[in-house]
């Protein structure tokens, strides 16, 4: 009896061990399978059928992606095959096609924005067909000077904005700029508030949501965008140039307050980037001056101590459109040039001829250049400043870094001599800047 009891106990103990081991093994296999499934690489779900595309748009989750894509693209798969583009299907998902090459533009049948359900119709924009290359000119700055001047003249006359590639600023630097912008906005709110531009004459430092609202802000007599009472759903940080102390203005000559909590190299890095952007802006102005048949020293004299601002912007992930919020309201920039670095999409530009808003998606290593009202005035309205806005459709935090390049504080702005527009009284740069800051709400 004792022997049987001992045997039975051993059997039960061994059975328990085996059962426990089996459970651990099954749980481990399940965990590995689940981990592999969620780590699967992103897929491009593409179809030549509009019905399949509609099904894909209605998905509540986007397999393998960190967030909903900015756009849905419908491709002509038959055209892909005719052009020799290699594709293959995933046996686990028959409606998924993998493409291991660049997609030829002629294979794209449609591109539609994945707009939020609550986005008002007035805030929707068109996705430009890649075949329509004139819609968003991209100018290669490694080309010969005559070609660059000709392309910039065409873009300034027909569109009012353009993009630039091969500009000499490394992609590593651009990535770090966006990362360091995110580092700043991750600081505690109390720290950012201590750097408030309202404590520093209004043009240098931090501003929060609602402090600057750009809807309808534009040059005197310019009613293209219309006045809109909307709240900009963003926060920002404005930095002046190293020569700020030489700018004869209590506002734009104020020193930029920096946060001691940031990495010691943060300020030095931003200062170097500010210098690089100044050099790039002067280079662009030399091309614009040549296109306007101006002497080489014209812009050199007007910008020898520019009132430049490097601005970090953070657009919040959720925008309450029903409450009248927008990323940044429709406006024109007030100065000479704006050179924009986008982290994620959201910029929209108004095609004034067609009355359509157009998405300007970010491209790695490419800047977007806006012409400001001062340059429009200088050119005698030959060139046009660009009405633009920001609608953050990504459902994630958006970071962008515009560089505003404005003339010396006392430079007088008036149409150039050979302009055909009606002559007007010269206006001082500092007066124009202060007027726009008041319109936007940064000056009380």
């Amino acid at each position: 009896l004792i022997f049987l009891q001992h045997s039975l106990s051993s059997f039960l103990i061994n059975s328990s061990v085996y059962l426990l081991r089996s459970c651990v093994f099954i749980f481990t296999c399940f965990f590995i399978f689940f981990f592999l499934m969620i780590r699967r690489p992103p897929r491009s779900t593409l179809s030549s059928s509009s019905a399949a595309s509609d099904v894909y748009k209605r998905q509540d989750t986007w397999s393998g992606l960190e967030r909903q894509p900015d756009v849905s693209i419908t491709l002509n798969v038959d055209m892909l095959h005719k052009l020799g583009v290699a594709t293959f299907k995933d046996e686990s998902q028959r409606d998924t096609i993998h493409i291991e090459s660049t997609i030829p533009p002629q294979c794209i049948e449609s591109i539609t924005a994945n707009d939020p359900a609550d986005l008002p119709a007035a805030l929707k924009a068109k996705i430009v067909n890649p075949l329509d290359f004139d819609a968003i000119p991209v100018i290669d700055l490694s080309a010969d000077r005559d070609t660059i001047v000709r392309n910039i003249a065409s873009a300034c006359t027909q569109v009012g904005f353009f993009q630039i590639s091969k500009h000499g600023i490394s992609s590593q630097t651009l990535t770090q700029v966006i990362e360091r912008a995110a580092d700043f906005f991750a600081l505690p709110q109390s720290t950012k508030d201590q750097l408030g531009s309202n404590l520093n004459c209004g043009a240098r430092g931090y501003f929060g949501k609602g402090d600057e609202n750009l809807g309808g802000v534009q040059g005197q007599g310019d009613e293209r965008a219309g006045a809109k009472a909307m709240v900009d759903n963003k926060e920002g940080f404005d930095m002046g140039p190293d020569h700020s102390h030489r700018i004869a203005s209590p506002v734009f000559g104020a020193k930029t307050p920096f946060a001691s909590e940031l990495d010691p190299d943060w300020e030095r890095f931003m200062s170097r980037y500010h210098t690089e952007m100044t050099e790039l802006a002067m280079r662009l102005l030399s091309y614009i001056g040549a296109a306007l048949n101006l002497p080489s020293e014209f812009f050199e004299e007007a910008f020898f101590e520019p009132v430049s601002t490097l601005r970090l912007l953070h657009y919040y992930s959720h925008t309450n459109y029903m409450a009248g919020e927008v990323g940044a309201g429709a406006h024109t920039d007030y100065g000479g040039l704006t050179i924009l670095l986008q982290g994620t999409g959201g910029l929209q530009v108004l095609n004034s001829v067609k009355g359509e808003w157009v998405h300007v998606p970010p491209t790695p290593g490419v800047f977007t250049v806006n012409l400001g009202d001062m340059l429009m005035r200088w050119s005698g309205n030959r060139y046009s400043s660009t009405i633009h806005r920001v609608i953050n459709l990504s459902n994630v935090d958006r970071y962008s870094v515009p560089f505003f390049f404005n003339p010396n504080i006392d430079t007088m702005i008036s149409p150039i001599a050979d302009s055909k527009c009606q002559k007007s009284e010269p206006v001082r740069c500092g007066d124009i800047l202060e007027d726009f800051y008041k319109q936007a709400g940064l000056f009380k």
Side-chain angles (χ1 to χ4, degrees):
L1 182 61
I2 293 173
F3 173 77
L4 289 174
Q5 184 178 10
H6 176 73
S7 300
L8 181 59
S9 298
S10 299
F11 173 77
L12 291 174
I13 291 173
N14 291 334
S15 297
S16 299
V17 171
Y18 291 141
L19 180 61
L20 180 61
R21 288 177 177 175
S22 298
C23 289
V24 170
F25 176 77
I26 292 172
F27 176 81
T28 301
C29 291
F30 176 81
F31 177 81
I32 292 173
F33 174 78
F34 179 77
F35 178 78
L36 291 175
M37 287 298 293
I38 66 173
R39 293 287 292 178
R40 295 179 73 174
R43 299 183 179 89
S44 299
T45 303
L46 307 168
S47 172
S48 59
S49 155
S50 59
S53 178
D54 290 341
V55 170
Y56 182 56
K57 292 176 194 174
R58 290 196 298 269
Q59 289 183 352
D60 293 325
T61 59
W62 302 83
S63 299
L65 300 180
E66 294 180 356
R67 62 177 177 85
Q68 173 180 302
D70 294 326
V71 297
S72 293
I73 303 174
T74 302
L75 299 183
N76 186 324
V77 180
D78 293 335
M79 179 67 73
L80 284 172
H81 293 159
K82 287 180 180 178
L83 295 176
V85 177
T87 65
F88 64 93
K89 289 187 176 181
D90 187 336
E91 291 301 322
S92 62
Q93 287 190 323
R94 296 298 182 89
D95 62 343
T96 299
I97 297 175
H98 296 268
I99 302 172
E100 293 186 336
S101 68
T102 301
I103 298 174
Q106 57 265 44
C107 297
I108 299 175
E109 292 190 343
S110 67
I111 308 176
T112 55
N114 287 320
D115 295 328
D118 60 343
L119 183 68
L123 298 182
K124 294 182 179 181
K126 175 184 177 183
I127 302 291
V128 176
N129 190 317
L131 291 176
D132 187 9
F133 60 88
D134 287 331
I136 305 178
V138 180
I139 298 173
D140 181 353
L141 294 190
S142 68
D144 63 89
R145 181 177 176 83
D146 289 344
T147 299
I148 296 173
V149 170
R150 185 170 58 254
N151 289 339
I152 285 182
S154 175
C156 292
T157 303
Q158 299 178 20
V159 185
F161 81 103
F162 53 91
Q163 296 180 307
I164 54 174
S165 63
K166 299 182 181 179
H167 38 68
I169 299 178
S170 71
S171 58
Q172 181 182 9
T173 294
L174 301 184
T175 299
Q176 290 180 357
V177 170
I178 296 296
E179 290 174 348
R180 294 187 185 225
D183 290 342
F184 174 84
F185 292 114
L187 291 171
Q189 189 62 47
S190 58
T191 300
K192 292 183 288 188
D193 288 340
Q194 292 173 7
L195 309 174
S197 61
N198 60 329
L199 306 175
N200 200 39
C201 298
R204 299 289 178 250
Y206 171 79
F207 60 89
K209 178 178 177 177
D211 288 343
E212 180 189 65
N213 299 304
L214 294 174
V217 175
Q218 50 212 25
Q220 187 175 6
D222 186 351
E223 299 180 354
R224 290 175 295 169
K228 302 293 183 182
M230 305 187 81
V231 176
D232 286 6
N233 188 32
K234 68 177 191 290
E235 57 180 340
F237 183 68
D238 285 347
M239 293 170 280
D242 291 340
H243 62 263
S244 288
H245 61 283
R246 296 199 300 272
I247 298 175
S249 166
V251 176
F252 298 100
K255 184 178 180 181
T256 304
F258 289 98
S260 58
E261 291 84 349
L262 290 168
D263 184 287
D265 186 55
W266 194 93
E267 180 180 345
R268 290 191 295 271
F269 175 85
M270 287 300 178
S271 177
R272 289 195 301 270
Y273 181 67
H274 197 132
T275 299
E276 285 186 278
M277 295 305 291
T278 298
E279 293 171 352
L280 177 59
M282 287 302 300
R283 183 181 171 191
L284 290 174
L285 282 176
S286 73
Y287 299 140
I288 292 173
L292 291 171
N293 296 315
L294 295 174
S296 59
E297 65 272 12
F298 182 88
F299 284 129
E300 292 175 2
E301 294 174 355
F303 287 83
F304 71 87
E305 280 188 348
V307 184
S308 55
T309 298
L310 180 62
R311 170 173 285 189
L312 310 182
L313 286 171
H314 168 218
Y315 296 88
Y316 297 101
S317 57
H318 176 70
T319 302
N320 188 346
Y321 301 107
M322 297 298 103
E325 291 182 358
V326 67
H331 66 284
T332 59
D333 287 345
Y334 43 80
L337 288 177
T338 301
I339 306 176
L340 174 67
L341 171 64
Q342 292 192 85
T344 55
L347 176 65
Q348 298 180 0
V349 173
L350 180 64
N351 182 328
S352 299
V353 176
K354 297 182 179 180
E356 295 178 336
W357 285 97
V358 177
H359 286 284
V360 184
T363 302
V366 171
F367 287 113
T368 299
V369 180
N370 297 339
L371 303 185
D373 291 325
M374 291 188 200
L375 193 53
M376 178 177 173
R377 184 183 182 89
W378 249 325
S379 72
N381 296 335
R382 187 184 307 175
Y383 295 167
S384 177
S385 58
T386 313
I387 299 175
H388 55 285
R389 65 188 184 188
V390 174
I391 310 294
N392 185 12
L393 305 177
S394 64
N395 294 322
V396 297
D397 294 311
R398 177 185 187 264
Y399 301 96
S400 68
V401 182
F403 178 71
F404 302 108
F405 197 58
N406 308 309
N408 314 326
I409 195 74
D410 290 323
T411 295
M412 302 302 290
I413 315 296
S414 60
I416 56 180
D418 65 346
S419 170
K420 295 181 181 179
C421 77
Q422 183 177 358
K423 298 300 180 183
S424 57
E425 290 296 320
V427 182
R428 179 176 170 270
C429 169
D431 294 337
I432 295 175
L433 294 179
E434 290 186 14
D435 177 63
F436 273 83
Y437 271 69
K438 288 177 182 177
Q439 287 189 57
L442 288 175
F443 288 176
K444 305 302 181 184

